[in-house]
């Protein structure tokens, strides 16, 4: 019982701290890349207080619930959108020898299924807001997530096929360095589909202010709106961590196994930096371009990766 409590407490601390670190990093990286002066001066040294100022701003805002909204669903939706990432984080192995919140036999199925629950929170937010723009944004979010879920699952299935197991620690034990080149297509598909599921630029059409204000979150203010933003940063942590574990070898690296957790964290934050970099670099896709990219590019690439994995698996065996 003590071991279980310690694992849960450690996972909760990581869940509360790392998304905020990613958020602060996004402020700084975007400030450097776009020449923004404001985020570099808040609090003095390198703008260290920018994230604190944002938190205080959200806490001070009035908590408004629209008169025609379904009040209970409206209030619960941010938590339903955020909490699935906490449960996924429990199953991601950080290092060898049981360095994981909770080892799950079918861990790959578990994390992909639980990540899909987040769309329910966004649908709840859009439907309960009594706002047609919010409802439209929620429906667009659901369509986008369902479209990009398929290539994400197919890419993850390629790694499971190569390892011969659905257990995430088992995949890590079976991983070999020569997987990197022939699983590269799957890594691209998985990471890109993960960005689309998070509605990160350039896949942020459902929440584009120039399109439908702010999608399913239009009527949200204060801390509830902050929870939706926090779920986005938690999603970046989870998608980057899963990509590092499935395709980049997780704790495998030049460091000793005892320091494998540090190698996993470095890979995760390097991928999180790429997420921020893509936001600054590429323009937003139109809705038709966004859906076409999933069905005509990512899914065929994922099927090619599956076929390649099958051929190499048979050849090796």
């Amino acid at each position: 019982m003590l071991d279980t409590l310690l694992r849960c407490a450690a996972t909760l601390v990581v869940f509360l701290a790392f998304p905020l670190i990613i958020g602060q990093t996004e402020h700084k990286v975007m400030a450097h890349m776009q020449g923004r002066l404001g985020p570099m001066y808040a609090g003095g040294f390198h703008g260290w207080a920018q994230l604190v100022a944002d938190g205080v701003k959200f806490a001070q805002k009035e908590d408004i619930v629209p008169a025609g909204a379904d009040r209970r669903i409206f209030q619960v939706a941010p938590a339903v959108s955020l909490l699935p990432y906490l449960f996924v984080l429990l199953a991601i192995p950080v290092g060898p020898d049981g360095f994981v919140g909770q080892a799950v036999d079918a861990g790959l199925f578990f994390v992909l299924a639980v990540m899909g629950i987040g769309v329910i929170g966004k649908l709840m937010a859009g439907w309960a807001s009594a706002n047609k723009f919010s409802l439209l944004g929620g429906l667009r979010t659901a369509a986008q997530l369902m479209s990009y879920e398929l290539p994400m699952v197919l890419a993850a299935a390629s790694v499971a096929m190569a390892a011969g197991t659905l257990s995430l620690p088992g995949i890590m034990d079976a991983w070999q360095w020569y997987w990197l080149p022939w699983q590269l297509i799957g890594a691209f598909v998985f990471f890109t589909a993960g960005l689309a599921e998070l509605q990160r630029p350039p896949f942020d059409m459902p929440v584009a202010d120039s399109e439908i204000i702010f999608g399913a979150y239009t009527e949200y203010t204060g801390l509830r709106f902050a929870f939706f933003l926090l779920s986005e940063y938690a999603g970046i942590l989870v998608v980057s961590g899963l990509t590092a574990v499935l395709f980049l070898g997780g704790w495998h690296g030049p460091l000793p196994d005892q320091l494998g957790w540090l190698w996993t964290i470095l890979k995760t934050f390097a991928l999180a930096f790429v997420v921020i970099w893509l936001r600054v670099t590429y323009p937003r896709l139109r809705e038709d371009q966004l859906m076409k990219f999933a069905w005509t590019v990512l899914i065929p690439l994922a099927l090619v990766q599956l076929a390649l994995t099958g051929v190499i698996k048979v050849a090796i065996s």
Side-chain angles (χ1 to χ4, degrees):
M1 180 63 72
L2 179 61
D3 179 70
T4 301
L5 291 175
L6 288 176
R7 289 172 183 268
C8 291
T11 304
L12 183 61
V13 169
V14 170
F15 181 74
L16 294 176
F18 278 29
L20 296 179
I21 295 174
I22 293 175
Q24 179 77 344
T25 303
E26 182 169 57
H27 279 112
K28 304 307 166 190
V29 171
M30 291 181 65
H32 280 295
M33 289 184 172
Q34 297 181 331
R36 297 183 178 186
L37 297 180
M40 305 304 298
Y41 285 92
F45 176 73
H46 211 263
W48 65 269
Q50 179 64 46
L51 195 65
V52 178
D54 286 342
V56 173
K57 175 187 69 176
F58 284 122
Q60 289 179 334
K61 286 183 178 292
E62 183 180 0
D63 181 20
I64 299 174
V65 179
D70 187 322
R71 191 176 188 88
R72 182 166 297 180
I73 302 299
F74 184 88
Q75 293 172 338
V76 170
V80 176
S81 182
L82 176 63
L83 288 180
Y85 294 116
L86 172 61
F87 299 136
V88 171
L89 205 60
L90 278 169
I92 298 179
V94 181
D97 303 323
F99 203 147
V100 58
Q102 177 61 52
V104 182
D105 289 338
L108 189 57
F109 276 167
F110 173 79
V111 297
L112 293 176
V114 174
M115 284 176 64
I117 295 175
V119 65
I120 298 177
K122 297 172 176 62
L123 274 174
M124 291 168 60
W127 178 80
S129 295
N131 182 316
K132 292 181 180 179
F133 287 107
S134 297
L135 178 59
L136 181 60
L139 292 175
R140 281 192 174 185
T141 297
Q144 178 172 322
L145 294 187
M146 286 188 290
S147 297
Y148 281 88
E149 188 74 19
L150 182 56
M152 194 175 191
V153 170
L154 290 175
S158 171
V159 180
M161 182 191 299
T165 177
L166 292 172
S167 168
L168 291 177
I171 291 174
M172 282 291 85
D173 291 335
W175 191 88
Q176 301 293 333
W177 67 267
Y178 56 81
W179 286 19
L180 283 172
W182 59 275
Q183 290 290 339
L184 189 61
I185 298 175
F188 169 76
V189 172
F190 186 90
F191 187 66
T192 305
L195 291 185
E197 287 208 356
L198 297 176
Q199 302 173 86
R200 291 285 301 183
F203 306 101
D204 61 337
M205 180 57 71
V207 295
D209 52 356
S210 60
E211 183 73 11
I212 45 178
I213 311 177
F214 208 74
Y217 320 139
T218 300
E219 298 292 347
Y220 281 87
T221 59
L223 289 178
R224 290 198 181 91
F225 182 77
F227 283 157
F228 280 117
L229 295 183
L230 183 61
S231 71
E232 180 180 320
Y233 291 126
I236 294 174
L237 173 65
V238 166
V239 169
S240 299
L242 283 174
T243 305
V245 166
L246 293 176
F247 297 97
L248 301 182
W251 68 72
H252 296 282
L255 300 177
D257 284 348
Q258 292 78 6
L259 296 176
W261 60 270
L262 180 59
W263 196 234
T264 303
I265 292 175
L266 289 176
K267 292 177 182 179
T268 300
F269 274 92
L271 290 172
F273 173 79
V274 173
V275 174
I276 300 169
W277 191 358
L278 291 174
R279 174 178 180 175
V280 179
T281 305
Y282 290 100
R284 178 180 298 126
L285 295 176
R286 294 197 316 264
E287 188 69 20
D288 60 312
Q289 293 173 331
L290 190 149
M291 302 302 288
K292 183 179 180 180
F293 184 71
W295 291 100
T296 63
V297 178
L298 292 187
I299 291 179
L301 284 177
L303 293 174
V304 168
Q305 178 66 75
L306 272 177
L308 178 63
T309 300
V311 169
I312 294 179
K313 186 72 174 177
V314 170
I316 292 176
S317 62

